[in-house]
Amino acid sequence: GAGRHSRVCPAEQTMRTVTLACLLALAAVASASVPLSAHSLSRQATAARIVPLASAQPSTLRLKGGSAAGPKKVAILTAGGLAPCLSSAIGYLVEQYTLVDPSIEIIAYVDGYKGLLLGRSVKFTPEVRKLASVLTTHGGSAIGNSRVKLTNIPDCVKRGLVKEGQDPQKVAADQLIRDGVSVLHTIGGDDTNTAAADLAKYLKNNNYDLTVVGLPKTIDNDVYPIKLSLGANTAAEQGAKFFKNVVNEASSSPRMLIIHEVMGRHCGWLTAATARQYKDGLTATVTLPGIGFDSKKLDVHAIYVPELAINIEEEAKRLKKIMDEVGNVNIFISEGAGVEDIIKEMEAAGKEVPRDAFGHPKLDAVNPGKWFAEQFSSKVAAEKTMVQKSGYFARSSAPNLQDLALIKECACKAVECAMKGEGGVVGHDENTDTLELRACEFERIAGGKPFDVQEAWFKAMLKEIGQPFGAVQAVAH
């Protein structure tokens, strides 16, 4: 809940307050990633009337347990898919380091691990650091992302990131040493952070100490043992906003079947949370039943997640009744729902399933939404079927206020851990009694955490829409 993410971080008393008015003003600024130049940042900050941080503190702040000197140079990179937290996390990290000790150098590797392998980085100058909070109002990543697996040598060679015969881990390690980096902040999912942990281990075995402090970015909210990953709440809110418009397409044709595909490769949390936020908003929506415009037309009629088995035939019968009564059917599906069955069908038909550098099936090619449309369209006697995907719309958003509070809290903790030389991924640890905010050990970080379908709110939502609770099933990761 919000109460868990409201603790004041170290140095908060010295941090100037960014008011809600400023946040709203900055939201009107162009949505493109902020160029890392003092001139452009100054123009945007002037328009929003943000007061920059002081260029230097009278005395640097010392965190309890930290060394007298702290790191001399830190680096930041973002990797993997987008989430509504990347630019904000960068902004808060830079801002906090500037408050703790402005003498600590900060660089960012452009385009994630690709930039690290190619030695491409940008420096956060004192002028840029003053205005780092501008980044907290933007979606995307101001420094760019990429999907690179350092242990996938053939892929790195094929993409021109390393030469034939080179070890990407060694290339990355050598670059960090050349740059004099002692702390690396990785903002990404389990793949990003475990790759960083492997890199730190590689460097330690070669007598170079590197502290890696990660931040958990994934809208799927599927990272062990993190209670809530950065940006997930915003993604659910934006997915609900997306469908609030899309649902009106039901009036464009009689007997319309709308399938809303939500991101979530192995985990149904985002689909369920998006449906919940949409339905919560629906309670305040006024309709006109007297002319047949009933809230049932706007409601969610089915929610399919990977963790629950789906009886297509029985569900088709249930949805056919809704179609006959209401005139349209709205289905929310996770992009991971039914994927294993779809892949089996594709491979049986002799079709190749494209995969990314990490071996994950490319879901755009698998196309779960289209598959579900084909399963249900004729069975519910739909005259028109529409598949709409909210993923890119939701994940590229700037964070909402709840996420901003969580991102700032985690960024402050990440800097504290870096000053102490404590590595790990910062988040609320589910395996502690109080959901302690801490650097969770890398060996405990893993993807594929399933959505707990036994959550009371989820079961109540299925009951409300009349959907039977299917058999719980394990999801391969």
Side-chain angles (χ1 to χ4, degrees), residues 201-271:
K201 185 178 180 180
Y202 179 91
L203 284 163
K204 189 172 184 179
N205 291 339
N206 287 275
N207 301 313
Y208 186 88
D209 284 332
L210 174 73
T211 300
V212 179
V213 184
L215 290 172
K217 174 272 329 171
T218 169
I219 61 175
D220 296 356
N221 194 32
D222 67 342
V223 177
Y224 289 107
I226 306 298
K227 176 63 176 176
L228 183 63
S229 55
L230 309 184
N233 179 272
T234 301
E237 179 182 273
Q238 291 294 317
K241 179 181 178 181
F242 175 89
F243 193 72
K244 185 178 179 181
N245 281 1
V246 168
V247 71
N248 294 316
E249 284 293 331
S251 64
S252 69
S253 175
R255 302 187 70 86
M256 172 74 89
L257 169 62
I258 300 180
I259 293 179
H260 177 198
E261 183 180 313
V262 183
M263 283 189 170
R265 182 183 296 275
H266 304 290
C267 177
W269 181 90
L270 182 59
T271 301

Side-chain angles (χ1 to χ4, degrees), residues 268-334:
W269 181 90
L270 182 59
T271 301
T274 301
R276 184 187 190 185
Q277 292 221 27
Y278 175 75
K279 285 180 66 61
D280 285 348
L282 199 58
T283 60
T285 301
V286 180
T287 57
L288 197 59
I291 62 168
F293 180 46
D294 192 277
S295 60
K296 291 180 181 179
K297 288 182 173 291
L298 308 178
D299 209 346
V300 180
H301 303 125
I303 305 166
Y304 302 135
V305 296
E307 293 85 356
L308 289 180
I310 306 165
N311 186 321
I312 296 291
E313 294 303 322
E314 289 302 312
E315 275 297 277
K317 292 176 184 177
R318 182 179 73 85
L319 295 174
K320 173 70 161 50
K321 291 179 182 178
I322 294 173
M323 181 69 86
D324 292 342
E325 177 191 346
V326 178
N328 65 284
V329 168
N330 304 318
I331 300 176
F332 278 44
I333 69 158
S334 166

Side-chain angles (χ1 to χ4, degrees), residues 380-401:
V380 301
E383 290 189 19
K384 184 176 179 181
T385 300
M386 174 181 290
V387 178
Q388 291 291 299
K389 304 179 182 184
S390 61
Y392 294 119
F393 177 88
R395 77 177 196 173
S396 58
S397 170
N400 62 18
L401 292 178

Side-chain angles (χ1 to χ4, degrees), residues 71-404:
K72 291 183 178 179
K73 192 172 187 178
V74 303
I76 301 170
L77 67 78
T78 61
L82 295 184
C85 65
L86 298 172
S87 290
S88 297
I90 297 164
Y92 283 134
L93 285 171
V94 173
E95 184 177 71
Q96 184 66 4
Y97 271 114
T98 302
L99 288 164
V100 170
D101 187 347
S103 70
I104 297 173
E105 289 185 60
I106 305 173
I107 66 170
Y109 289 108
V110 178
D111 297 330
Y113 285 112
K114 177 179 180 178
L116 175 56
L117 290 173
L118 298 177
R120 296 174 182 169
S121 63
V122 292
K123 182 179 180 180
F124 286 84
T125 65
E127 288 302 310
V128 171
R129 288 168 72 149
K130 289 181 189 178
L131 300 166
S133 60
V134 170
L135 296 180
T136 66
T137 65
H138 284 270
S141 172
I143 57 176
N145 273 27
S146 64
R147 290 187 182 274
V148 176
K149 187 173 185 179
L150 297 179
T151 54
N152 189 338
I153 298 175
D155 182 66
C156 289
V157 172
K158 180 181 178 181
R159 295 165 64 180
L161 303 179
V162 298
K163 296 177 181 177
E164 193 74 48
Q166 287 185 316
D167 179 354
Q169 278 198 321
K170 186 176 187 308
V171 173
D174 289 345
Q175 187 62 51
L176 288 164
I177 293 170
R178 276 195 298 272
D179 290 336
V181 172
S182 53
V183 172
L184 176 63
H185 287 288
T186 53
I187 310 169
D190 60 300
D191 289 329
T192 298
N193 287 309
T194 52
D198 290 341
L199 195 55
K201 185 178 180 180
Y202 179 91
L203 284 163
K204 189 172 184 179
N205 291 339
N206 287 275
N207 301 313
Y208 186 88
D209 284 332
L210 174 73
T211 300
V212 179
V213 184
L215 290 172
K217 174 272 329 171
T218 169
I219 61 175
D220 296 356
N221 194 32
D222 67 342
V223 177
Y224 289 107
I226 306 298
K227 176 63 176 176
L228 183 63
S229 55
L230 309 184
N233 179 272
T234 301
E237 179 182 273
Q238 291 294 317
K241 179 181 178 181
F242 175 89
F243 193 72
K244 185 178 179 181
N245 281 1
V246 168
V247 71
N248 294 316
E249 284 293 331
S251 64
S252 69
S253 175
R255 302 187 70 86
M256 172 74 89
L257 169 62
I258 300 180
I259 293 179
H260 177 198
E261 183 180 313
V262 183
M263 283 189 170
R265 182 183 296 275
H266 304 290
C267 177
W269 181 90
L270 182 59
T271 301
T274 301
R276 184 187 190 185
Q277 292 221 27
Y278 175 75
K279 285 180 66 61
D280 285 348
L282 199 58
T283 60
T285 301
V286 180
T287 57
L288 197 59
I291 62 168
F293 180 46
D294 192 277
S295 60
K296 291 180 181 179
K297 288 182 173 291
L298 308 178
D299 209 346
V300 180
H301 303 125
I303 305 166
Y304 302 135
V305 296
E307 293 85 356
L308 289 180
I310 306 165
N311 186 321
I312 296 291
E313 294 303 322
E314 289 302 312
E315 275 297 277
K317 292 176 184 177
R318 182 179 73 85
L319 295 174
K320 173 70 161 50
K321 291 179 182 178
I322 294 173
M323 181 69 86
D324 292 342
E325 177 191 346
V326 178
N328 65 284
V329 168
N330 304 318
I331 300 176
F332 278 44
I333 69 158
S334 166
E335 65 179 357
V339 163
E340 291 184 35
D341 291 332
I342 301 170
I343 289 175
K344 287 177 183 177
E345 284 187 15
M346 291 177 68
E347 290 176 339
K351 297 179 181 178
E352 183 180 352
V353 180
R355 297 179 183 271
D356 63 19
F358 293 90
H360 305 314
K362 292 186 176 181
L363 294 177
D364 283 348
V366 176
N367 207 341
K370 181 175 180 289
W371 186 83
F372 274 95
E374 291 170 349
Q375 302 302 308
F376 284 118
S377 185
S378 61
K379 290 181 173 66
V380 301
E383 290 189 19
K384 184 176 179 181
T385 300
M386 174 181 290
V387 178
Q388 291 291 299
K389 304 179 182 184
S390 61
Y392 294 119
F393 177 88
R395 77 177 196 173
S396 58
S397 170
N400 62 18
L401 292 178
Q402 182 177 339
D403 260 320
L404 277 174

Side-chain angles (χ1 to χ4, degrees), residues 459-475:
K459 296 182 81 170
M461 186 164 59
L462 291 189
K463 185 177 181 180
E464 181 187 332
I465 66 177
Q467 179 178 330
F469 190 81
V472 179
Q473 60 186 13
V475 182

